[in-house]
Amino acid sequence: MKITQPIGKAVLAAAIVLSLSWTPMSGQTVNLSEEKYLQPPAEILEMVTAPRHLNTTLSNLGPDKENFLVTRGEGMPTLAQYSKPYVNLGETAFDYLANRARQFAIRRDAALELLNYKTGAKLEIRAPQGAWLSSPAWSPDGTRIAYFVHTDDATNIFVAGIKDGKGRKVSPSPILATLVTSIEWTADGKSILTVIPPPGRKPMPAISQTPTSPEIKISSGRAAATRTYRFLMHTPADKEMLEWLATGQLFVIDVQTATGKSIGAPDMWRSLDLSPDGRYFRATTMLKPFSYNVPLGEFGTLDAVYDMTGKKLADLSRRELREGTVMRNAPAPAPGTTPGQRPAGGFGAGGRGGRPDDKRSFSWRPDGQGLSYLQLEPQPRGAAQAEEPQQETPSNEPAAKRKDRVMQWLPPFDNNSSKLIYENEDRIGSLTYSPDAQTLFMSETVSGDSHLFAVKLDDPGTKRTIYKHKTSDMYTDPGSLMTRCAFGCASEARRGMAGGDGVTVARMASDGQSIYLSGTRYAKNPLEEAPRPFVNKVNFVTGENTKVFESPADVYETVNTVADDDLTLIFTTRESRTANPDSYVRDMRTGELRKLTANVDHNEPVSRAIRKRLQVERVDGIKFWLEITLPADYTEGTKLPALFWFYPREYADQKAYDQSFARYNRNSFPRTGTRSMAIFTLRGYAVVEPDCPIIGPQGQMNNNYVQDLRNNLWAVIDALDKQGYIDRDRLGIGGHSYGAFSTVNALAHTPFFKAGIAGNGNYNRTLTPFTFQSERRWLWDAREVYLGMSPFLYANQINGALLMYHGQDDANNGTDPINSDRLFHALNGLGKTAALYSYPFEDHGPLMRETLLDMWARWDGWLDKYVKNHGKTPPRPAVTTNSQPEF
C-alpha cells in the first residue's frame, strides 16, 4: 500500500553531473541545480499560465433543448491540492480521508454555468465557500441539475433549479464516491440512487509501518502474462483497506425532502444503472479474491439486476479474476484498445474474455420492457462446450457456425422470462434500438466488410442495408449511426452522439424510417483538402441517402449536438487556421449561422508563429511529413537553433503511413497547451515535429526501429538545413513517454544533437517483457529486438547533454520512474552530462502549476546552455530574477 502523506517541504530531486549554474546570453541567471521550484522567463510564464480554461465549447444541451450546461474549471491544479494524502491500490487512487476517488480532490470545477442559446442569458451555479464542484447531471425533465460538492473531508450531493441556480444539499450525510462516481436520477426525477458508507462501518484500517508478514507472490503454474504496473497491491493490509474503501450501502435520496433510506445489504458497488421505468436497476459489484498481480480493473465482477428495495432478482454476467491479460502474438488491436491486451468489455458486456456462449451486451430497453442482450444460439446436442480462449495463438480449426440472437428479458428476470426477438446468421457486433424498440439497428463484420442494417420487428425476414463498407478503406467511411439519449445520460453530447452510459437510441427523423450517419470525410492529399465532418440522412426503407451537413472546405466545423430529431437546428464548433474555436447554432432550414461563444486566443504570440508542413524522403525511399514552427518575426534564410520534439509510430508500409497522414487537418487552429513546444519559438528556436515512421511487416515493425529512427532524423535535418531553416550545429531533441524513449535512442545512435529532453520514459525494454506499444512479441520471442531498442544498454554511446524529468507517481504501463533513476545512475557513472528532475505527486503527464513552471525554467536553461549558446562564452553572471519561494 502506498500512502502518500503531506510534506512540509516538497522534494525536488535533481541529480547533476556537472555544475549547472548558467547565465544565458540574455543575462538571466538560471541555476539548474537549485533545489526549489523555479519560474521560467516572463514570455514563457505568460503562455503556460494563460487562462485557456475560460474558453467554452457548448455541447451538453439539457432536456429542455434550450439551456447548455457548462463547467468552469479552476485552472491549473496546485501542489497544495495534489499533496493531500491518498492511497493507491491496484492502480486506483483514493482520497481515503474523504471517502472518494482521488480524481475529485485534484480535478476541480469552480462553478457551473447555464447558457440559454435562444436568449443568451447566463446563470451561474457556485459551490459553497471553500468547496468545489464536479459531475453535474440533468434531471430527466431538465428542470434541475444534481452535482457533487466536495470539501476537504467529504462529498455531498446538491441540486439546483435552472431558473434561479440556487443549490441546496440533498444528501442527508456524505456519500461514498470511491468506485461509484456518477449521479443516478430515477426516471420520475424525484430521487437519486447513490452509495453511502455502511451503517456501523468499522474504523478505517490502521496504517501501520510494521509489517505482519513478508510480501508473498506465488505463481499459478499457468501462463498469466500482464503489462507492467506501478501501483499493484502487496499486502493483506492493502486488501483490507480496499475492501473498507469499496464497501458501501445503497441509498435512495428523496430530492424534495433531502431525506433518504437504505436499500439492500452493503456490498462493493462498482457501478449503477437505473431502468427507464424506475422499477429496477443494474449494478456491478466487485468480487473477491483480490490480486497482487493485476489492477483493480481485472478483479472479478458480478453484474446483476435488482428491484428498488435492493432485492437481487437475477445475475446477468459474472467475470472471474483475470491474471493473464496479455496475449502472445495477438492480432492487430481493435481501435481504442491497448496493443497486445485483450479488448475491454463495457458494463454488462458479458465480461472480458468471457465464454462465447455467455449472454453479452446487456442494456435496458428504451420502451421500459425489461432488458436486452445478445447470445449465440445453443450448441447442437453433443457438441463440445466452448471454452474461454487461451492466451496462445488460437487454433485454426473452424468452429461450427451458430446464429446470433437478440433476446428480451422481462421481469421477474427468471429462467422462464427470456424470449427471442431476432436471429442473425452472423455474429452481431452492435445493437441499437429505435425509440419505440420496434426497429433494430445492427452491425456485423464479415470478411473485412462492415455491414450496418435495420430490421423492423414486424418484418424480421428483411434486412435493410444502411451501408456496407470495407473497414480498411478510411476514405469511403460512411460514418456511424447517430444516437440520442433516451434516459439516464449525464451528457447528451458525450452519450447522444456516440452511445455510452444510460439508455441511448437511434436518432430517427419524424418520417419514422430515416436515420443519420455522422463521420468525417478524408482526402488522399490532406494538404490540399482538410478533413470534412458530415452528417447524412439515410432512409433505410427506400435506401435514399441525402447529405444533411458537411463542413465547409476552408473551415473545420464539427457537430456537437442537435436540437431535434429532424436536425432543423444543429450546434457546431467552427475553427480555422486563423480563427479560434467557437460554438455556433446553424439553422438547417434557412442556412442562418449564429455565433454563441466569444472564446479568446490567450496564446496569441504563439498562435502567430509561422508553421510549415514539409515532406521529406529518407534513404530507403520512404516519404513522410514534418511540421516546423518558426518565430512570428522569422526572416527567411536565417538558420535557427532547433528543438526536435517527436513520438515515433509503427506502420506496415508506406500506404499505411499515408493513410494515417490523411487525418492531418490543415484547418485546425494551432492550440497552445501547457506543454506545447511551440512556446519555444518565443525564445528564438525553430520547433521541428517530424512524424518519424517505423516501417516493417505486421508484428515485426520494430526489427527496423534503430535504423528507421536514424534515417528519419537524418532526412529531416538534411532537408531543413538545405532550406535554410535550422543550424545543424545547434540541435536539441526531446519527447514525452515513448518520445522520451526515442529521444535517448536518438542520442545513443546518432551524432546530430547537442542536448536532449526526455520525460517519463522507458529506457530498458527488458522491464516490459510482455509487449509494448505495437510490439506484440514477448521478450523471449524477439530478444535481440528488445535489447537493441533499449538505450540503457547503449548509455556509453550517448552524445549530448540529457535532461530527464519524471513524475514520482507515474502509473503508466512500462514507464516506472525506476527507468529514469537507473539511466541517470548509468550516465553519472559513465561521466556523461545529465540531470534528472523527479516531481512529487505527478503521474504520467505533469499537471501542477509548480511542476510545469519549474520544468519550463529548466528546459529553457538547459537548451540555452547546450543548444542555443553551444560553443559561445556566456557573459558574466547577472542578478538573478528568480523569486519563487522555496517549498
Side-chain angles (χ1 to χ4, degrees), residues 84 99-100 123 151 175 248 256 285 331 343 360 371 404 431 448 459 464 589 606 657 733 758 766:
K84 182 178 172 62
N99 290 302
R100 62 186 172 218
L123 180 67
T151 57
I175 66 167
Q256 183 64 35
T285 52
R360 67 186 199 281
L371 286 161
D404 209 0
L431 166 66
D459 183 18
R464 295 173 166 86
R589 298 160 297 189
V606 179
Y657 167 75
I733 190 167
T766 67

Side-chain angles (χ1 to χ4, degrees), residues 550-564:
E550 185 174 44
S551 175
D554 59 342
V555 173
Y556 188 67
E557 186 171 7
T558 57
V559 178
N560 296 328
T561 190
V562 303
D564 60 88

